Amino acid sequence: MALIVQKYGGTSVGDTDRMKNVARRCIAAQKAGNDVVVVVSAMSGETNRLLKLVSQITDRPSEREQDVVVATGEQVSIGLVALAIQAQGGLATSFLGYQVQIVTDSIFSKARIKRIDAEKIVEALKQKHIVVVAGFQGQDEQGNVTTLGRGGSDTTAVALAAALKADACEIYTDVDGVYTTDPNVCPAARKLDRISYEEMLDLASVGAKVLQIRSVEFAMKYKVPLWVKSSFTDDPGTLVCEEDKSMENVVVNGIAYDKNEAKLAISGVPDVPGVAARIFGALDAQNIVVDLIVQTASREGKTDLSFTVGKTDLVKAKEVVERVAREVNAGSVETDGDVAKVSIVGVGMRNHSGVAAKMFQILAAEGINIQLISTSEIKVSCLIQSKYTELAVRALHTAFGLDKAPAAS
Ligand code: ADP
Ligand code: ASP
Ligand code: MG
């Protein structure tokens, strides 16, 4: 008897017919001889709707209260999916994050799971129930409601799979696997049968939202066999697994983009030791994650410093940076939300030179200006103007030889 954790995303539970489809799939998995735990997201568009309500009240919400609001989307889904399973003759029990219990730290809106006490789930499984768990939410040690960041239901599913020592974790979504890039942006994208944890981690870290990065971290750490599949077909999907030698033959394995970052630029920053530490220390103290950073060469003892943060942190980040800029006698702080980060990823890059240069040439040939750059052993990211995202993704996909063969006519 195997234990499977299945996760259904927003589109897969987007209306009650789709929830009935999820119920059918869960019951089929149970009838095939498995214990089934199913994690569900809020109905598609619901989390955005809830965030919009918050923004209509204030643009500087208390993150504790914001989490209280946005966590409600998943409550509706688990109740309805459990009812759909029961209506089809199955046994089902739903659980919210605090009931399970999924215990997190207290960083509201991007909390990290610390531990899971899955006793109630194990009990319900023993009673042959399909267990329906709310994704995206937990509670901290003080009992406050927390959420795990956008896309966090993926992480709930993988963390539960690790805690329950499940035989597999299946992420059901609106595409039938992990592709070389977002198939909704690039029609030539190719579906991958397998991808290494490491590459998936890098793709997710640069914005491929098919899996939340923390879910991949959990899967890699606890060696959870992780599948990405479509909730609308029976195709085998993509297996995220340990790297094997054959995977290294390709230099660039995937392209990703992220439109959720915004740029801040501080001019006239005194070029003396400790200033960068003060600026980024102040951002860190507010739990603001900084991504790409560029500092220009020093001229007359001053430099310009540009970097990106998540778009949702922009208002807070600007306030923090303006304060520190005043304290250290720096110049003005400019912001730009009209940017996108485009990245290439591949373990094969370790052994190949000139990959970054080729990326810059491809973007230049399309007339796309690069604002910030960051590189690591197996990825290169460029910040560009947002309106060029699709063009950049398609051009890079073709130039790095990732396009699928055109269909025979
Ligand atoms: P869910 O609501 O099921 O969690 P998401 O919208 O979070 O679904 O993630 C699925 C989406 O991820 C796809 O519709 C696709 O547009 C996007 N995506 C981005 N990069 C990739 C990729 N490399 N492979 C597959 N899908 C991708
Ligand atoms: N509902 C949350 C979101 O939209 C979590 C998820 O879907 O994974 O981000
Ligand atoms: Mg998602």
Side-chain angles (χ1 to χ4, degrees):
M1 182 121 184
L3 170 56
I4 301 184
V5 177
Q6 299 190 333
K7 176 257 170 178
Y8 292 90
T11 359
S12 307
V13 293
D15 59 34
T16 46
D17 281 336
R18 290 189 172 177
M19 289 175 174
K20 289 175 191 170
N21 172 53
V22 167
R24 267 191 300 278
R25 285 177 164 267
C26 297
I27 291 173
Q30 192 188 45
K31 286 216 168 113
N34 303 297
D35 280 337
V36 180
V37 175
V38 53
V39 173
V40 288
S41 292
M43 296 168 74
S44 65
E46 181 60 11
T47 308
N48 287 341
R49 189 185 73 84
L50 294 165
L51 282 168
K52 193 162 165 219
L53 290 177
V54 170
S55 72
Q56 284 166 0
I57 305 267
T58 168
D59 64 356
R60 285 295 312 275
S62 130
E63 283 166 337
R64 180 189 184 280
E65 303 315 324
Q66 178 167 289
D67 274 1
V68 169
V69 177
V70 295
T72 59
E74 273 70 13
Q75 178 161 355
V76 173
S77 296
I78 55 167
L80 289 171
V81 167
L83 286 170
I85 294 169
Q86 291 168 0
Q88 290 174 29
L91 296 172
T93 309
S94 68
F95 290 111
L96 289 163
Y98 81 90
Q99 294 172 308
V100 166
Q101 300 171 318
I102 296 173
V103 181
T104 71
D105 62 21
S106 303
I107 315 284
F108 297 109
S109 86
K110 44 193 161 197
R112 281 180 176 273
I113 297 176
K114 287 166 73 173
R115 61 174 192 278
I116 294 182
D117 172 9
E119 209 179 306
K120 281 198 177 140
I121 296 185
V122 174
E123 264 320 297
L125 288 174
K126 273 192 200 143
Q127 309 298 318
K128 297 290 159 217
H129 279 231
I130 294 171
V131 177
V132 190
V133 182
F136 181 54
Q137 55 172 261
Q139 71 165 352
D140 70 5
E141 302 280 6
Q142 288 73 44
N144 298 302
V145 175
T146 56
T147 66
L148 310 180
R150 298 310 303 267
S153 299
D154 298 333
T155 302
T156 307
V158 180
L160 274 174
L164 292 162
K165 300 196 171 42
D167 298 280
C169 182
E170 301 171 342
I171 305 289
Y172 287 92
T173 181
D174 55 1
V175 288
D176 58 0
V178 178
Y179 280 70
T180 45
T181 192
D182 185 343
N184 291 321
V185 161
C186 179
R190 244 184 322 111
K191 199 184 109 185
L192 304 167
D193 294 331
R194 297 151 69 86
I195 183 169
S196 70
Y197 289 122
E198 201 181 3
E199 270 175 322
M200 191 62 239
L201 204 58
D202 273 284
L203 268 181
S205 73
V206 290
K209 69 169 183 163
V210 64
L211 287 174
Q212 197 200 34
I213 180 166
R214 287 183 193 162
S215 71
V216 188
E217 284 168 0
F218 262 106
M220 187 162 151
K221 183 164 172 196
Y222 297 101
K223 301 208 184 331
V224 177
L226 181 61
W227 289 90
V228 177
K229 296 166 183 250
S230 162
S231 62
F232 305 114
T233 69
D234 289 319
D235 294 343
T238 300
L239 177 63
V240 188
C241 58
E242 301 270 353
E243 180 177 335
D244 72 36
K245 278 281 159 270
S246 66
M247 291 176 176
E248 276 202 47
N249 295 333
V250 190
V251 180
V252 172
N253 209 317
I255 317 272
Y257 64 91
D258 189 349
K259 293 184 177 176
N260 292 316
E261 290 190 14
K263 186 173 76 167
L264 290 108
I266 319 172
S267 60
V269 180
D271 191 17
V272 291
V275 171
R278 260 179 88 172
I279 295 169
F280 294 112
L283 290 164
D284 181 45
Q286 298 293 320
N287 296 309
I288 297 171
V289 178
V290 174
D291 188 14
L292 311 185
I293 304 176
V294 163
Q295 183 176 316
T296 57
S298 179
R299 242 187 305 120
E300 290 162 16
K302 303 255 181 184
T303 66
D304 294 338
L305 191 61
S306 302
F307 56 93
T308 62
V309 299
K311 258 190 189 141
T312 49
D313 283 333
L314 183 59
V315 176
K316 202 161 73 170
K318 185 163 188 252
E319 276 177 19
V320 171
V321 171
E322 278 176 336
R323 175 174 50 77
V324 182
R326 274 194 302 276
E327 289 167 10
V328 300
N329 273 327
S332 62
V333 179
E334 305 291 331
T335 62
D336 184 359
D338 184 28
V339 290
K341 183 175 70 174
V342 177
S343 310
I344 57 175
V345 171
V347 280
M349 262 185 235
R350 284 190 200 122
N351 318 315
H352 289 79
S353 60
V355 183
K358 182 171 173 184
M359 179 178 190
F360 306 152
Q361 282 155 11
I362 296 160
L363 295 177
E366 298 294 337
I368 302 171
N369 187 40
I370 301 169
Q371 304 181 13
L372 304 181
I373 298 165
S374 111
T375 64
S376 80
E377 209 188 6
I378 71 164
K379 68 183 182 224
V380 185
S381 299
C382 295
L383 196 76
I384 61 171
Q385 208 183 336
S386 166
K387 68 177 180 188
Y388 294 121
T389 313
E390 285 75 15
L391 175 65
V393 167
R394 288 182 202 147
L396 292 167
H397 198 269
T398 303
F400 280 107
L402 294 174
D403 286 3
K404 66 181 174 199
S409 54

